[in-house]
Amino acid sequence: MQVYCSSERHGGIADGLCFLGRAEEILAELVAEYRGNVQLIYLDPPSPEKESLSLKLGHGQRLIKLPVAGDPWTEDNFLTLMRTVLTGCHALLNPTGALYLHTDDRMGAHLRLMCDEIFGKANFQNEIIWSRKTGGRSTRYFPRRHDTILYYRKGRKVFFDITAVGKPRGPHRTNHMKRFTDDDGRTGFSIRARGKLYKYYDDDLVYPSDVWTDIEPIKQTSRERVGWATQRPEALIKRLLLTSSREDDLVMDLFGGSGTTAAAAAAAKRRFVTADLSPLSLYTTRRRLLAQSSAPALGQKSFGELIFRYPAPSATAKIEAEIVKHQLVISEAKVGNGNQPLVYAATGYVAQDCFVACHTNCAPVLPIKIQLPENREAVVHLVNALGEQAFLTVEE
C-alpha cells in the first residue's frame, strides 16, 4: 500500500535540511524559522541556459541526460526573483554574517547594484574573480573564462578569518632573493631594499587575493563530478566556508543544484539549509551525502540529522518483491509512468508523515536486496531518474 510522506530523515550523516521548492516561495517559511541566525549564505542562481543532469546507470554504465526542472527566465523576471531572494537573505543573516553571490558577465552588474541597495554600499567587501580557465572560445572577443563572486557583509561586525585558508609560502625562489637559515633552523629567502632587510620564511602563510586561479573547475574525469551541468568544485565553497564561518555555524544555499554547498558544509562540520526547485537536486544531494558519510546503515552515529522536505505529492508506484531472511528482494519496480529507471531505494519506517531511512542503495540494479528495519512496520522508498518518488508499505 502506498503511503504519503512530506519529509525524510537520515541519522548519522550531517546536520542539514534540504527543501524541495522555489526559493522565492519558501523564503517566508525560512525567514520565520531562521531570521538573524544564518552565518553565511552562498547563492549561485540558475543559468538562462537549460541545465541538465547526466547519470550513468546500470552494469554497462549507460549514460542518460535529464532536464533540470524550471522554466526559462527573462532578464526582468530573473531580477524580480533575485530582489525577493536577496531581501530575504538580508533578513536571514546574523550581525556577523556574509553573503557570497556567484554570477557572471551577463547579470553581474545588475546584481552588484541590487546588493548595494539591499545590503548598503558600505557593506560591499570584494568582487572575487574565479578564473575557470576553460569554457570560453571566441575570435570575436576575448574568451570569457571567469566568474564573479560578490562578497557582502551584513554589518561591521562581520566574521572573517583569512588565516584559515593561508598556505605556506614554500621554498620557491623569486626575483634576486638569497636563501638563508636562521638561528632557529627556519629557512627562507631575503632581500635588501633601500637599506632594509626583508625576510620571507618558507613556513609563512600566504593568503589568497580577490583573483582565484588556484581552484580548478570540475573536470570530466573528476571523482567529485556528479553529472550536474553547472556543478561547482567543493574547494571553491570550502574556501568561503572557512573564511566566513566556524564549526557548527549555520550556512544556507537557496539554489542547491548539485549539492556542493551541502557536501562542503557537512565535511567542514557546519550546519546547513539548502533549497532547490528540482527533485533531481534532492536526489543528487542525498547521493553525495550518503557516499560521503560511508555509513552502511544509517542511524548508528550521532553526527546530527539530515532532513529532506518535499510537500509535493508522491508519484504512483508498483513493485514485485518478496521478503527473504528479513531482506526485501525487489525484482521489478516502476515509479511514475514506469519509463524511467530506478536510481535510489531505501527501507525504513514512517513517523508522523516523515520517512526515517534505515538502509539505502544509491545505485540499484534490479534485482536488489535491501535490509528491512528491526521491530518496525517497514516502508520502502523508491526514486526514479526524473526524481519522482514513492513510499510503499512492506508486509511480511
Side-chain angles (χ1 to χ4, degrees), residues 149-163:
I149 302 174
L150 301 175
Y151 167 32
Y152 280 80
R153 65 187 183 184
K154 177 70 176 281
R156 292 186 176 183
K157 296 181 180 179
V158 65
F159 172 79
F160 184 77
D161 181 16
I162 200 170
T163 63

Side-chain angles (χ1 to χ4, degrees), residues 1-169:
M1 182 178 71
Q2 199 155 342
V3 294
Y4 171 75
C5 292
S6 60
S7 62
E8 165 193 347
R9 187 169 80 237
H10 299 263
I13 301 179
D15 195 342
L17 173 62
C18 303
F19 278 86
L20 174 62
R22 292 180 176 274
E24 68 274 26
E25 294 176 356
I26 64 173
L27 261 174
E29 181 180 350
L30 291 176
V31 171
E33 189 169 352
Y34 298 105
R35 180 187 289 272
N37 289 314
V38 182
Q39 176 59 35
L40 181 153
I41 297 176
Y42 171 77
L43 300 177
D44 188 3
S47 168
E49 285 88 15
K50 204 168 186 179
E51 293 188 274
S52 63
L53 173 66
S54 298
L55 293 175
K56 288 186 176 180
L57 302 173
H59 292 295
Q61 293 289 287
R62 179 171 63 92
L63 181 68
I64 62 171
K65 271 199 168 185
L66 302 166
V68 173
D71 300 323
W73 48 260
T74 64
E75 181 177 307
D76 286 345
N77 63 31
F78 173 76
L79 292 175
T80 300
L81 159 70
M82 290 309 299
R83 179 172 293 279
T84 301
V85 169
L86 290 170
T87 301
C89 287
H90 188 269
L92 285 162
L93 286 172
N94 67 35
T96 67
L99 169 82
Y100 288 95
L101 175 54
H102 198 132
T103 183
D104 57 24
D105 59 291
R106 292 165 292 186
M107 287 291 131
H110 296 284
L111 294 175
R112 171 79 182 267
L113 292 173
M114 192 179 293
C115 287
D116 280 349
E117 179 185 341
I118 295 170
F119 284 80
K121 290 182 180 180
N123 290 320
F124 168 74
Q125 297 290 86
N126 281 111
E127 182 181 62
I128 300 166
I129 303 300
W130 175 42
S131 175
R132 292 182 279 104
K133 302 179 183 179
T134 60
R137 298 183 66 181
S138 178
T139 57
R140 295 184 294 110
Y141 48 80
F142 296 109
R144 297 164 181 163
R145 295 186 179 179
H146 81 273
D147 285 355
T148 300
I149 302 174
L150 301 175
Y151 167 32
Y152 280 80
R153 65 187 183 184
K154 177 70 176 281
R156 292 186 176 183
K157 296 181 180 179
V158 65
F159 172 79
F160 184 77
D161 181 16
I162 200 170
T163 63
V165 293
K167 294 182 179 180
R169 185 181 303 277

Side-chain angles (χ1 to χ4, degrees), residues 6 11 16 32 58 116 155 165 184 196 198 293 300 304-305 313 335 344 388:
S6 60
D116 280 349
V165 293
D184 296 324
K196 186 176 181 179
Y198 295 88
S293 73
Q300 295 181 351
E305 288 186 328
V335 180
Y344 173 78
E388 297 175 315

Side-chain angles (χ1 to χ4, degrees), residues 316-331:
T316 58
K318 293 182 179 180
I319 64 170
E320 292 184 13
E322 60 179 337
I323 297 174
V324 180
K325 296 181 179 179
H326 207 60
Q327 286 185 323
L328 183 66
V329 182
I330 304 175
S331 54

Side-chain angles (χ1 to χ4, degrees), residues 191-202:
I191 188 170
R192 187 174 294 278
R194 297 179 181 179
K196 186 176 181 179
L197 183 66
Y198 295 88
K199 292 183 178 181
Y200 302 91
Y201 288 93
D202 295 344

Side-chain angles (χ1 to χ4, degrees), residues 212-226:
W212 296 355
T213 60
D214 59 328
I215 297 178
E216 296 286 340
I218 300 293
K219 297 179 180 178
Q220 292 289 339
T221 56
S222 173
R223 294 182 62 183
E224 189 179 321
R225 187 177 181 83
V226 297

Side-chain angles (χ1 to χ4, degrees), residues 225-303:
R225 187 177 181 83
V226 297
W228 203 271
T230 55
Q231 182 183 349
R232 308 303 183 190
E234 284 188 35
L236 186 74
I237 309 302
K238 181 181 178 181
R239 180 169 291 177
L240 306 179
L241 292 173
L242 293 179
T243 53
S244 291
S245 69
R246 294 145 292 203
E247 283 192 14
D248 203 41
D249 276 344
L250 179 63
V251 302
M252 190 172 285
D253 183 347
L254 300 180
F255 303 103
S258 64
T260 300
T261 299
K269 299 181 181 178
R270 271 68 168 167
R271 295 175 295 126
F272 63 87
V273 174
T274 68
D276 201 277
L277 60 84
S278 172
L280 293 176
S281 173
L282 264 65
Y283 158 71
T284 306
T285 302
R286 181 197 294 114
R287 184 178 64 176
R288 289 181 77 167
L289 291 172
L290 286 172
Q292 188 169 297
S293 73
S294 300
L298 306 179
Q300 295 181 351
K301 298 179 182 179
S302 55
F303 296 142

